[in-house]
Each structure stands twice: as structure tokens, then as C-alpha cells.
Amino acid sequence: GAGVSQSPRYKVAKRGQDVALRCDPISGHVSLFWYQQALGQGPEFLTYFQNEAQLDKSGLPSDRFFAERPEGSVSTLKIQRTQQEDSAVYLCASSRQQNTGELFFGEGSRLTVL
Amino acid sequence: QQQVKQSPQSLIVQKGGISIINCAYENTAFDYFPWYQQFPGKGPALLIAIRPDVSEKKEGRFTISFNKSAKQFSLHIMDSQPGDSATYFCAASPMDSNYQLIWGAGTKLIIKP
């Protein structure tokens, strides 16, 4: 596609539910990133993939967060047993090269946990 | 050492004026400094970026000024327009490591017609 596509755009979950957020990066982009953005804040790094390899997951806030990119293209961020503090916009970005270059962001998935 | 401090938090500028947003960093390993622009409901988009081998970079109405010794960099928007109203984020990362981008907290810019 022309840009990074994320779905769903909006998700409301009850506390304790599991959610899955999908990211479809720009075709051919090697690197894929997940960020969490709280209201009025800058993006906070969650995890990074180079093709299918998850090279850094140091930003995942707890073991309830899990990300995968099994075929090196589409990625899914899964949050188990959601808590209210998980409410945020989850941004996905991709870049053509590994390690360098412009990040292209999707519009984000806004998660609200009630 | 990993922080990027951005100011002001919000800024109101009259149409046609100059908008100035400042950022400061501590980590001397940083050598890539992008600015991203984010409109409500959208993801950030790269506006302009600089590496420390130059002190200034200009693209249209947007200019980055870089002061390596002071570890500061700033974004200047000349002839500010209402369409420039957005949140602006500075960021920094070590060379060849865009996944380690450290982001500022953002500046909400409002351009008054």
C-alpha cells in the first residue's frame, strides 16, 4: 500500500480483555517499530523488528505485551489482560533501511480500556 | 543522559510570524536530529532532519539550527501559516540507529489567523 496501515483505528476494551493491534508496513520496508503515545506526550519506543527478527523489545512495559512479525511484513501487537494504564495510542512505523532513515508512521490505534 | 528536553510546551504565533521551538540533549553519542510534525488523529511525519556536521539546514520555510557545543537544536518556522498548526516533536538518536530515537515531549503550535 501507499502508507503504513493500522487497524483497528479505535478499540474499546474492558479491563482484563485481550486485544490485538495490526500493522501493515510499507511494502519492502525492512524495519518496523511499535510506539506507545500517551495523550499530550511524545512516542515511547516499545519494540523493533528487522524483517521477522525482533531485535529489541526493551520498551515493552510488561510481559502482558507481545509483538510478532512472523513473515517479515505484517506485525501484530498483542496486549493480554488489559489494564486502564494501557490506554494510549499505539503507533506503528516502518523504514526502508535497517537502522537508518526516515520513519513512516501509521495513523495509530487508539486503545481505551474501561 | 537519554532525555531530549523540548520547549515550550505550547506556542501561539500570529500568522506571518516566526515560530521557534527549542530542544536540548545530553548524550554526545546522538548525531541524528529529526523534527516530526503531527496533526490530530494522524501519525508523526518527518519534517526536516540534521546531522551535526552542519550548523543549519533549511527546507522552504523550515530551518533547523544546530549548536553542537551547547548540545541544542531548534526549529524555526518562517512566515507561519494556520496550516502549520500541529504538534512538533524533536528527536535524537545515535548514528545508524534510528530505532533508538529519543523523543521530546512535543510542542503544540497554534497559528492565529
Side-chain angles (χ1 to χ4, degrees):
Chain A
V4 177
S5 177
Q6 290 189 247
S7 61
R9 289 292 318 279
Y10 303 93
K11 176 70 179 177
V12 178
K14 291 184 179 177
R15 190 161 55 98
Q17 279 186 331
D18 297 348
V19 300
L21 308 176
R22 175 189 168 105
C23 173
D24 201 340
I26 294 172
S27 178
H29 277 199
V30 170
S31 300
L32 184 143
F33 310 78
W34 283 100
Y35 286 87
Q36 182 188 62
Q37 186 174 30
L39 192 64
Q41 299 295 317
E44 296 272 350
F45 170 79
L46 294 178
T47 187
Y48 161 61
F49 290 85
Q50 197 175 101
N51 297 305
E52 69 278 3
Q54 188 175 22
L55 297 188
D56 190 329
K57 56 181 181 179
S58 62
L60 295 176
S62 78
D63 59 8
R64 296 185 295 104
F65 286 70
F66 171 76
E68 60 182 4
R69 192 185 186 198
E71 296 178 359
S73 56
V74 171
S75 176
T76 304
L77 177 67
K78 296 178 180 177
I79 309 173
Q80 297 177 322
R81 305 181 303 282
T82 52
Q83 304 293 316
Q84 283 191 322
E85 62 263 27
D86 300 335
S87 296
V89 175
Y90 291 86
L91 293 166
C92 177
S94 68
S95 70
R96 184 180 300 119
Q97 299 161 292
Q98 58 193 52
N99 292 330
T100 65
E102 177 179 355
L103 300 186
F104 293 84
F105 283 86
E107 294 188 326
S109 292
R110 179 179 295 278
L111 172 65
T112 303
V113 181
L114 302 178
Chain B
Q1 258 225 332
Q2 283 294 90
Q3 281 187 325
V4 175
K5 295 182 179 178
Q6 183 172 348
S7 64
Q9 193 173 21
S10 62
L11 181 62
I12 300 174
V13 174
Q14 289 293 131
K15 179 182 173 183
I18 302 173
S19 304
I20 302 174
I21 304 170
N22 301 298
C23 284
Y25 65 98
E26 290 292 327
N27 190 342
T28 54
F30 289 158
D31 74 344
Y32 173 64
F33 303 91
W35 285 88
Y36 279 78
Q37 178 189 55
Q38 185 175 28
F39 293 104
K42 303 293 184 182
L46 180 67
L47 189 63
I48 186 172
I50 197 169
R51 293 198 184 272
D53 51 345
V54 295
S55 60
E56 186 174 282
K57 182 174 181 180
K58 185 176 181 179
E59 289 184 2
R61 295 184 295 108
F62 300 90
T63 300
I64 299 180
S65 297
F66 185 81
N67 186 329
K68 188 174 181 178
S69 61
K71 289 185 281 189
Q72 294 175 346
F73 58 110
S74 60
L75 176 69
H76 291 62
I77 307 174
M78 312 300 287
D79 186 26
S80 300
Q81 299 297 311
D84 297 331
S85 298
T87 299
Y88 292 81
F89 293 97
C90 63
S93 72
M95 184 170 62
D96 296 332
S97 188
N98 63 350
Y99 85 93
Q100 292 182 327
L101 267 180
I102 305 298
W103 295 73
T107 296
K108 185 172 183 178
L109 174 64
I110 297 172
I111 307 300
K112 284 199 163 183

